[in-house]
Amino acid sequence: MANKPDNEKKVVFRISWFYIIFIGLLIWMFMDNSEVGPKKIEWAEVKEIWQSGDVEEVTFIRNEFEGEMTIKPDRVENYLDKFTEGMPKRSPHFTFMVSGSFNAENEFGALNDSLAVKMPEESVKVVVENREDWWSVMDWLFFPLILILMWVFMFRGVNKGAGGGGPGGVFNVGKATGKLADKNTVNVTFKDVAGLYGAKEEVMEIVDFLKNPKKYTTLGGKIPKGALLVGPPGTGKTLLAKAVAGEANVPFFSISGSDFVEMFVGVGASRVRDLFRQAKEKAPCIVFIDEIDAVGRARSKNGGFSANDERENTLNQLLTEMDGFGSNSGIIILAATNRADILDKALMRAGRFDRQIHVELPDLKERMEIINVHIRNLKVAEDFDLEFLAKHTPGFSGADIANVCNEAALTAARKDKNSITKQDFLDAVDRIVGGLEKKSKIITPEEKKSIAYHEAGHATVSWLLPNAHPLFKVTIVPRGHALGAAWYLPEERQLVTKEQMLDEMCSLIGGRVAEEIINGQPSTGALNDLERLTKMAYGMVSYYGMSDKVGNLSYYDSTGSRAYDLNRPYSEKTAELIDNEVKELIKMIHDRTESILRENFDGFNQLSAILLEKEVIFADDLERIFGPKAGTKPVEEPAGEPVEEPVEE
């Protein structure tokens, strides 16, 4: 059989050619062709240029309320400064817009008459016309055509995906967006995770099982199917997961909980199926779901109320994949959240998440290790004390400490220092917590006195009460939204007694009471103090059972299920009793605080005077006036941060 000549070969039109042609048309339609267009000017500029006699012709398009101005060829150089991007190659040189009430004949006639008075030989040619824009007609045809073509190809993709049994079709919207990582793409190891001793131990056990499975299987043991990392924001949950990815010699899939949920119905469930399909192909492997509360929130018991069928369908599919009839051997699920209280109970049960690994805020030793990690690449002073900074950052998370170290470096750089000193770190803590100092803020002398009395009240009461947090710095220099601030060094308590809470509440209201004693009336400066005081009072009465009349009852809901319940778990009579108890408690706190301030009025007055003079006082000043702090050793180092006492433990 003879071969066919080359000119008879069949030309196959591929769909990719269509895309190339389509994109080329779009570029041709909308690109500028590197040509500078006319300059748009205002009507006032039009009249000014007209009167100069440099205008050759003006064309007014009546149906578009737009004018075009052409400059005489020999006068174009006079307007080069108006064309920053270059002079237009073709006329017109300028365009202008006018309102619908513009009378072209009268306005242009008046301008020519005025020009004739100044320059009798000069006159501007005026053309008034209606213009049809054929491109607008093309828009009506072109863009609907684009929509039709896009619709056709969308359905083509849907049919292709459905026919092949794949997880989706519309631009692959049903496919999982998880990232596959291994030890070559992740540089974080357990050495980079400072502190978190208990959490690291449990996670390292999972990694060890993947590396040495026989060590556990010979005894008949089974590795947990899933582990849930629970803790406040910034404590290192995601960092711990990255360390697992860097340490484990197995594939590591990472995805965010919000990536499952889309506007299309069924997409979330499809992405869950696709994620586990990929994981099964790579088993043994680890799947990490960050912020799982976005998809794992407890399902509503009230049908239709606060319900989200798409999110619940996604959750149901996740529950099935984690522990259903299908086999997912070799797949370990890691998840992270700071809202474990709102997760669905079915998600939390054994067989899905066998372990809850609590990643808490670091203690003193752990903060020292975290600081040491973050200052590796910083040029700190030789006499820098890790323990000193760790003591002055209580309640800080790992992310907060990282921010402090970075801000300290920026602070030192602003001062043109060669190294970062202890004071730079303390300034960084003050700036992060309290905000930037605003010494230029205008404050009247009366307001300054009131602020000084307020902060001196806080300082006096907290210093004289044995269970109040030790104070070491007070300032009346505005920071952020605050006009003044008192810095405390809180004790790291695991349990708080009733007496300790009462002392803290007295310290909170000390500023308000001081204003009432000196000025005879309160001010709005105690807003934050009253807010925290009220929350603590209600917490004592309704949560912690510290009221004799209410009794040993707690109406705190640790599960979060009560959020969907419109009814309170107590009667109106009990609600009234709680309110009355809170009012009596706060009144008792107020009277006790007033008694403390009046008994130590001379010292309080002396402290206020020093504060007005220096604007910043430290624990040393309080010790000279009142003696050592009640119940504790005197504070030697002046530094620290303001701390807000939480309502709940």
Side-chain angles (χ1 to χ4, degrees):
M1 187 175 179
N3 294 330
K4 292 183 179 181
D6 295 338
N7 57 1
E8 294 184 9
K9 290 182 179 179
K10 186 178 180 180
V11 179
V12 180
F13 182 82
R14 301 184 182 276
I15 193 65
S16 58
W17 297 358
F18 172 81
Y19 290 121
I20 295 173
I21 296 172
F22 181 71
I23 294 172
L25 286 173
L26 288 178
I27 294 174
W28 176 78
M29 287 184 62
F30 295 104
M31 75 176 185
D32 197 16
N33 294 324
S34 302
E35 183 176 338
V36 180
K39 174 74 173 180
K40 188 175 182 179
I41 59 176
E42 301 295 330
W43 174 246
E45 295 180 87
V46 173
K47 294 192 289 184
E48 182 181 349
I49 298 174
W50 194 304
Q51 297 300 319
S52 66
D54 297 339
V55 182
E56 182 180 28
E57 182 180 348
V58 171
T59 302
F60 182 71
I61 307 156
R62 194 188 299 273
N63 58 330
E64 296 181 3
F65 305 105
E66 182 180 5
E68 299 174 348
M69 178 183 288
T70 302
I71 305 298
K72 296 178 180 179
D74 58 336
R75 310 284 181 87
V76 173
E77 295 181 354
N78 297 339
Y79 302 92
L80 292 178
D81 58 330
K82 294 183 178 293
F83 299 94
T84 56
E85 298 179 359
M87 181 69 67
K89 295 181 180 180
R90 301 190 299 267
S91 60
H93 299 97
F94 298 103
T95 61
F96 57 92
M97 299 292 296
V98 295
S99 64
S101 60
F102 184 82
N103 191 319
E105 288 80 5
N106 294 341
E107 293 289 342
F108 294 143
L111 288 174
N112 265 336
D113 293 341
S114 177
L115 180 63
V117 175
K118 296 172 60 179
M119 305 175 184
E121 69 281 359
E122 298 287 345
S123 180
V124 178
K125 180 182 178 182
V126 178
V127 178
V128 181
E129 62 182 19
N130 291 323
R131 187 178 294 176
E132 297 292 335
D133 188 5
W134 292 102
W135 281 106
S136 61
V137 180
M138 291 295 295
D139 289 343
W140 285 96
L141 299 175
F142 186 75
F143 288 102
L145 182 62
I146 292 177
L147 294 176
I148 293 172
L149 291 174
M150 289 178 62
W151 189 257
V152 169
F153 283 106
M154 282 176 65
F155 273 102
R156 181 178 180 273
V158 170
N159 295 331
K160 184 178 179 181
V170 184
F171 302 111
N172 295 324
V173 72
K175 291 187 176 180
T177 57
K179 298 179 181 179
L180 179 60
D182 53 29
K183 62 180 181 179
N184 298 322
T185 58
V186 180
N187 298 322
V188 181
T189 63
F190 286 129
K191 294 181 180 179
D192 300 314
V193 183
L196 307 180
Y197 303 121
K200 272 199 302 187
E201 185 178 351
E202 294 200 55
V203 173
M204 288 172 69
E205 183 178 323
I206 297 175
V207 176
D208 187 55
F209 177 84
L210 293 170
K211 291 182 177 180
N212 308 299
K214 293 183 179 180
K215 176 181 176 182
Y216 301 88
T217 55
T218 53
L219 299 175
K222 296 180 180 178
I223 194 68
K225 292 185 179 180
L228 183 63
L229 303 174
V230 183
T235 51
K237 300 183 294 295
T238 305
L239 180 65
L240 199 58
K242 290 181 180 179
V244 173
E247 292 282 351
N249 294 322
V250 296
F252 186 93
F253 292 90
S254 62
I255 192 171
S256 173
S258 60
D259 291 338
F260 290 114
V261 184
E262 286 282 355
M263 62 179 288
F264 303 108
V265 178
V267 169
S270 177
R271 288 181 174 177
V272 172
R273 287 192 296 269
D274 187 64
L275 174 65
F276 280 86
R277 178 186 60 80
Q278 296 179 40
K280 289 175 185 177
E281 295 175 355
K282 300 286 187 179
C285 67
I286 297 175
V287 176
F288 174 64
I289 305 175
D290 200 6
E291 306 295 345
I292 195 173
D293 51 276
V295 69
R297 187 183 295 267
R299 291 163 289 185
S300 176
K301 296 179 181 179
N302 302 323
F305 179 75
S306 187
N308 188 331
D309 292 336
E310 173 59 16
R311 182 183 58 77
E312 291 190 1
N313 290 338
T314 305
L315 174 59
N316 291 334
Q317 186 63 45
L318 180 62
L319 296 175
T320 303
E321 293 289 347
M322 290 183 67
D323 188 29
F325 280 100
S327 176
N328 288 327
S329 58
I331 302 176
I332 296 176
I333 312 296
L334 284 181
T337 181
N338 55 358
R339 298 292 308 279
D341 56 312
I342 65 172
L343 293 181
D344 197 279
K345 292 183 178 180
L347 188 65
M348 304 284 287
R349 74 159 176 84
R352 293 191 173 108
F353 287 118
D354 300 297
R355 294 184 179 179
Q356 290 190 33
I357 303 174
H358 292 273
V359 186
E360 303 294 344
L361 291 172
D363 56 20
L364 178 63
K365 185 179 178 182
E366 290 175 331
R367 290 199 300 273
M368 290 176 62
E369 294 183 6
I370 295 172
I371 294 170
N372 196 31
V373 169
H374 290 297
I375 64 172
R376 287 177 184 172
N377 300 323
L378 300 181
K379 195 175 180 180
V380 298
E382 295 181 357
D383 59 345
F384 177 71
D385 188 2
L386 281 176
E387 186 176 0
F388 175 83
L389 182 59
K391 286 182 178 179
H392 292 81
T393 51
F396 277 45
S397 65
D400 295 331
I401 293 174
N403 194 20
V404 168
C405 294
N406 183 66
E407 188 62 39
L410 298 178
T411 302
R414 282 193 292 269
K415 298 178 181 177
D416 298 325
K417 293 184 177 180
N418 297 323
S419 61
I420 309 171
T421 62
K422 179 175 68 176
Q423 188 59 45
D424 295 325
F425 282 97
L426 296 178
D427 292 343
V429 172
D430 293 349
R431 180 167 184 176
I432 290 172
V433 177
L436 184 65
E437 285 190 358
K438 298 180 179 179
K439 294 186 177 181
S440 60
K441 196 168 187 176
I442 300 175
I443 299 176
T444 62
E446 291 76 14
E447 288 177 333
K448 191 173 182 180
K449 287 182 180 179
S450 183
I451 297 169
Y453 292 135
H454 183 101
E455 301 302 335
H458 283 305
T460 302
V461 176
S462 65
W463 193 263
L464 295 173
L465 292 176
N467 296 304
H469 291 314
L471 183 142
F472 53 83
K473 179 180 177 181
V474 182
T475 178
I476 59 173
V477 178
R479 279 185 179 271
H481 296 290
L483 299 177
W487 270 254
Y488 300 89
L489 187 62
E491 300 175 3
E492 297 185 49
R493 303 165 178 166
Q494 301 300 321
L495 295 174
V496 182
T497 65
K498 182 179 180 180
E499 187 178 0
Q500 290 171 339
M501 294 187 72
L502 292 175
D503 285 359
E504 283 298 318
M505 293 169 74
C506 288
S507 177
L508 279 174
I509 205 173
R512 174 69 169 244
V513 176
E515 290 185 46
E516 293 175 353
I517 294 175
I518 299 298
N519 300 327
Q521 58 183 352
S523 70
T524 59
L527 175 61
N528 181 256
D529 301 329
L530 293 177
E531 179 187 359
R532 292 161 58 190
L533 178 69
T534 305
K535 288 182 179 179
M536 290 183 70
Y538 271 101
M540 291 179 65
V541 175
S542 59
Y543 290 167
Y544 303 124
M546 295 181 179
S547 170
D548 295 333
K549 293 183 179 179
V550 176
N552 297 321
L553 298 176
S554 177
Y555 299 106
Y556 176 68
D557 180 24
S558 61
T559 64
S561 60
R562 199 176 293 161
Y564 304 105
D565 192 359
L566 297 178
N567 298 319
R568 293 178 296 187
Y570 46 83
S571 64
E572 290 294 331
K573 187 177 181 180
T574 304
E576 185 178 355
L577 178 62
I578 292 173
D579 291 339
N580 291 333
E581 279 291 279
V582 169
K583 290 179 181 178
E584 290 183 11
L585 176 61
I586 292 178
K587 185 178 184 304
M588 183 270 291
I589 294 294
H590 181 280
D591 295 342
R592 182 188 177 194
T593 305
E594 184 177 2
S595 176
I596 294 172
L597 287 175
R598 291 190 182 277
E599 290 174 2
N600 300 272
F601 188 76
D602 293 338
F604 163 72
N605 247 340
Q606 187 178 350
L607 187 65
S608 304
I610 298 174
L611 191 57
L612 277 171
E613 180 184 355
K614 297 182 177 180
E615 293 189 339
V616 179
I617 60 175
F618 299 98
D620 295 339
D621 299 298
L622 280 87
E623 191 171 354
R624 282 196 299 269
I625 298 173
F626 299 107
K629 185 181 183 324
T632 62
K633 295 180 180 180
V635 181
E636 298 180 356
E637 297 285 346
E641 59 151 328
V643 173
E644 295 187 5
E645 194 68 23
V647 177
E648 304 167 11
E649 287 289 316

